Amino acid sequence: MDAKRESHDLEQTISKLVPGQVFEHLQTKEEGLTAEEANKRLAQYGKNTIKEKQGKPLYIQFLANFTSMMAILLWISGSIAFIARMPELGIAVWCVNLINGVFSFIQEYRAGKATEALKQMLASYARVIRDGQEQQILTDDLVPGDVMLIEEGDKISADARLVKSSDLQINQSALTGESNPVRKFSDAISRDDLTIFETSNLIFTGSTVSTGSGQAVVIKTGMDTEFGKIAKLTQNVIHELSPLQKELNRLTKQISIIAMTFGVCFFLLAIFFVKDPIAESFIFALGMIVAFIPEGLSPTVTLALAQGVQRMAKKNALVKNLSSVETLGCTSVICTDKTGTLTQNEMTVNNIWLPDRELEVTGTGYAPEGKILDNGQVISVDSNSALKLIVTAASLCSNARVVAPNEENRAFTVLGDPTEACLGVAAEKAGISVEQLQKDLPRIRELHFDSRRKRMTTIHQLAHPVNGKNRVAYTKGAPKELINLCDTVFINGDVTPLTAAVKQRAMEANDEYARLGLRVLAIAVRYIGRDDKDIPANLSSYSPENIEQRMTFIGLVVMADPPRPEVADAVAEAHKAGIRIVMITGDYGLTAESIAKRIGIVKGEHPRIISGIDLENMSDEELKTALKGEIVFARVAPEQKYRVVDNLQQMGEIVAVTGDGVNDAPALKRADIGVAMGIAGTDVAKEAADMILTDDNFASIVHAVEQGRAVYNNIRKFLLYILNSNVPEAVPSAFFLFSKGAIPIPLTIMQILFIDLGTDLIPALGLGAEEPEKGIMNKPPRNLTEPLLNKKIILKAFLWYGILESIVSMFAFFFVNYINGYSAAGWAPEGSEIYIIATTMTLSGIVFSQIAAVMNCRTESQSVFRKGLWKNRTINIGIILEIAFLLMIMYVPLFQKVFGTAPIGVSSWLFLFCIPPIILAIEEIRKAFSRKFAHNNMKL
């Protein structure tokens, strides 16, 4: 913190100095450093580069994907299978593990390239003055004290203090997130209430020169720059397990305990109850342990996540890391920027205020599609001279232009300041061709905008003199400052004295627009002729002092970056889903508050607005208290956005963060789920993020949250499904044990493994592809303390579906014995033909029960018929394949021998085909009662 404060103090000190003092303070001069001094400083400060933090070696990263808790369980499971004399199973389990590990490594390797992208943003060469001569040097060799030359199109290569500037505008969007170019000057700054990026005589690494030129003295290089600090923050973010990864680790422990418990119980029962030999009991117990381990969990989770990725892609959200899909589902707070995400990033004139009326401008964006309305009636420049004058003046007093869609850009694009561009669009809507206007009134002089005057003036040659005047000056600027320069006003086609009453009305209108977060420009005009004694005849002598006076006030132009039309609904849906939204923007507080209220992010009349300067003076405890209420952050620095995210996480929130600039990279990296803008976003932001929005639209995040929730629900559905068959797999062994061997074991170990890896797996994978259920966004984010394998799933799997399937499968076993003349007096002996047919029927009974179960598991309480019984293609294919596999092991001799099966008769097949509809009907009845009970509780 001390180093940070010291750094800030240096910049404040430098900004307050006049240019001559800057050279002295930095121990340099206008002729630049000497080559000898530059070499000394290079040795002292090091290269001007972004240093990359050394990560783990590639082979360590690769091996880490095979050492998660689930991976270790599968390695052990495969080893047990080999010990239990089932090498085929062991090989299959290990292959599953290898495939998942390689896939995870590929995903991880593609992520985390933020530092590399940061380095690519820096210029390769810089122009400096050394030994009194202009030179081009590698940016790596820049040192503090170097005198750097910049002009339009240049990338800034180091943090520096301007000592000369000419109409200089810098695009700092990569650092601040705000797209409008910022005017920069070399004058000393006396204010202390500015953030570092608002300081108009400082320029920063990573920004670019939009217009103009300048000369600056380098203050900081490399990792000491603001750009370097962002890189350092991004690199130092510690990677943590996602909520799903943590949950899967917990699930692995639970499953391991369950499997080991069953294995030990069956081992002890086999020895002490059935009196089996220890060796056979041990092999039997090992088989049961492997049977209880869900080998298909990893591929199913992977597929569920991959399916979520595909569905998100269709909704304009590209996910880089698979685990991020589910993280979105448990997101409880979204920290979003404003420009381009919540708004369209297209400044639009929406009102024109004239002294005698207020006009509405329809249409949004840069397409010249809209109308000018006066009390709902369309008007044009032909019917209102004041409208013609104000749109003419505003559009000509501008250096921006709008480019129509072409092969490279499908939308209207802006060259220059978006605020100026929208003025020309308003003129087009009023019926004026700006291109023709520029030809009719050619510009002959410009008085550039500066922050002291807060205005800009352009002078044009008139084709036809007006009242003997052959030139006209159009001025736009801050209302208060510009109105004070006017002594007349244009109303109803007449120029009359500007009264105090008109001034008051104009300022009241300006204040009201400002309260709504709108941007307001005042427009004025002055006609110039040879008889104006206060104006020099020489055009080059025109200055603000002699032109910007005795002007005629025309009116106010009111503009805003409109919210995206779909954002308000998306915000409402997020709130309904229990997700808080916190706006963090580089824009001003009033504008941010207005947008936040308009789209519903905040509901209260007076939400708390915290600026970057306020945040700097707050403790973490004060910040946490503030974060519990309605809050908007404005004019914040990169490390402050990072701090907000960090504090939210300390409060137990799962945080998603949106961003598009270099400044957002640390927060994107720190967040549980970083969301970068695909259109406006920098490469750095995209590399640091977990997800990229291809349409830069907040609504796409909410759609992605819905898919994330669906993924988690699908994993639970899969878990329920595979646990269903564990009970009917265990019950036959229980019959064998508790009958002390009188009942031959109705289901062999190989048949159990056939169910787990042969028939259950593909339908289970289909559950991972289920679409979100209706009402999924009407619930709050899931409780992170609730385990994936919760009490509800255990009860439903073991005591409902499990018992139903056990009854069916054991009935099938006894049914075969009964129709073949065997009963409790003497069951078909182990190894006999009837016994093999009976175990085949037990196996088939479980498989057909699972056909019904997979359909039932597709919904929690909704009727599967309403969702579409055969809508899930993967499940349908899975059902067909599991029946095909069952037929194969029944009728192919080689597989009959491996799995201990035999063909069954027609009556048995009829029995089996009756199982799915019966179980499906029973479950539909239970779901109907469940829905009715939930509905009655809601009424209460």
Side-chain angles (χ1 to χ4, degrees), residues 175-299:
L175 296 163
T176 65
E178 294 304 308
S179 58
N180 291 347
V182 179
R183 296 210 177 246
K184 296 286 184 176
F185 309 94
S186 57
D187 300 341
I189 303 292
S190 58
R191 293 172 60 183
D192 293 324
D193 61 339
L194 299 174
T195 65
I196 187 169
F197 294 118
E198 291 173 328
T199 307
S200 60
N201 56 19
L202 297 178
I203 58 176
F204 305 97
T205 308
S207 53
T208 55
V209 181
S210 297
T211 59
S213 60
Q215 196 176 96
V217 182
V218 174
I219 304 171
K220 294 176 182 174
T221 58
M223 297 301 284
D224 292 327
T225 64
E226 295 303 310
F227 197 87
K229 292 173 188 174
I230 292 170
K232 195 180 295 181
L233 269 176
T234 305
Q235 291 175 7
N236 290 337
V237 173
I238 298 171
H239 174 72
E240 295 183 358
L241 294 177
S242 72
L244 179 61
Q245 289 168 325
K246 293 175 184 176
E247 198 51 57
L248 288 175
N249 285 344
R250 179 158 59 173
L251 176 64
T252 303
K253 293 176 184 177
Q254 290 174 311
I255 290 173
S256 300
I257 291 169
I258 291 171
M260 291 299 295
T261 301
F262 271 94
V264 170
C265 288
F266 277 105
F267 176 67
L268 294 175
L269 285 171
I271 292 175
F272 298 108
F273 203 71
V274 184
K275 308 297 183 183
D276 271 356
I278 292 178
E280 287 185 19
S281 299
F282 181 68
I283 296 298
F284 178 73
L286 289 181
M288 294 305 298
I289 289 171
V290 176
F292 269 86
I293 293 172
E295 292 85 0
L297 180 61
S298 289

Side-chain angles (χ1 to χ4, degrees), residues 8 23 83 112 145 147 228 249 257 297 327 347 363 373 392 432 448 460 468 520 600 623 701 830 866 875 905 926:
H8 184 68
F23 290 109
I83 295 169
V147 178
N249 285 344
I257 291 169
L297 180 61
T327 305
M347 290 299 293
L373 303 179
T392 297
I432 287 181
H448 302 299
H460 302 261
V520 185
L623 177 56
I701 303 174
E830 192 171 332
R866 292 196 66 177
I875 287 179
R926 186 199 67 80

Side-chain angles (χ1 to χ4, degrees), residues 333-584:
V333 176
I334 299 174
C335 292
T336 177
D337 55 2
K338 176 183 70 68
T339 306
T341 307
L342 301 175
T343 65
Q344 298 180 38
N345 197 18
E346 294 182 336
M347 290 299 293
T348 303
V349 175
N350 45 31
N351 289 100
I352 295 174
W353 186 91
L354 300 173
D356 64 335
R357 68 191 69 200
E358 182 181 23
L359 306 177
E360 180 188 353
V361 184
T362 66
T364 59
Y366 297 120
E369 298 167 359
K371 299 173 182 176
I372 314 293
L373 303 179
D374 182 5
N375 286 323
Q377 299 298 313
V378 178
I379 66 168
S380 68
V381 293
D382 296 328
S383 59
N384 191 296
S385 58
L387 172 62
K388 181 176 183 178
L389 184 58
I390 196 169
V391 296
T392 297
S395 59
L396 288 178
C397 189
S398 165
N399 290 320
R401 67 187 181 93
V402 177
V403 180
N406 52 40
E407 291 182 0
E408 292 184 6
N409 297 299
R410 296 181 181 178
F412 285 86
T413 54
V414 171
L415 299 179
D417 190 333
T419 301
E420 292 188 337
C422 69
L423 301 175
V425 176
E428 298 277 356
K429 291 177 181 178
I432 287 181
S433 167
V434 175
E435 187 177 352
Q436 187 61 45
L437 203 60
Q438 291 168 342
K439 292 177 181 177
D440 295 340
L441 296 169
R443 182 187 297 187
I444 55 176
R445 183 88 163 86
E446 177 183 341
L447 304 177
H448 302 299
F449 174 91
D450 72 49
S451 58
R452 292 165 298 179
R453 289 168 39 241
K454 297 183 180 179
R455 57 188 174 271
M456 166 189 177
T457 297
T458 56
I459 296 98
H460 302 261
Q461 189 71 43
L462 291 171
H464 306 286
V466 175
N467 297 326
K469 313 288 187 180
N470 63 337
R471 291 173 180 170
V472 62
Y474 296 126
T475 303
K476 73 175 191 300
K480 183 178 179 180
E481 286 75 5
L482 185 52
I483 289 175
N484 287 335
L485 298 173
C486 299
D487 54 17
T488 56
V489 61
F490 190 87
I491 303 177
N492 291 325
D494 296 322
V495 177
T496 60
L498 179 60
T499 64
V502 174
K503 279 188 178 183
Q504 184 178 350
R505 288 207 314 272
M507 293 315 299
E508 286 174 353
N510 174 63
D511 293 344
E512 181 59 30
Y513 290 132
R515 275 192 291 272
L516 295 173
L518 304 174
R519 190 169 296 176
V520 185
L521 288 175
I523 309 295
V525 62
R526 180 181 181 183
Y527 291 95
I528 304 166
R530 294 186 179 89
D531 58 344
D532 291 315
K533 296 179 180 179
D534 58 334
I535 298 179
N538 187 357
L539 184 65
S540 62
S541 298
Y542 284 5
S543 68
E545 289 72 26
N546 55 44
I547 295 293
E548 294 173 350
Q549 58 172 307
R550 294 168 48 200
M551 307 195 81
T552 299
F553 174 60
I554 310 172
L556 306 174
V557 177
V558 186
M559 63 201 76
D561 182 5
R564 290 178 178 267
E566 65 279 2
V567 163
D569 289 339
V571 168
E573 188 174 0
H575 284 160
K576 190 169 63 175
I579 301 170
R580 288 184 58 211
I581 301 170
V582 177
M583 183 191 290
I584 306 177

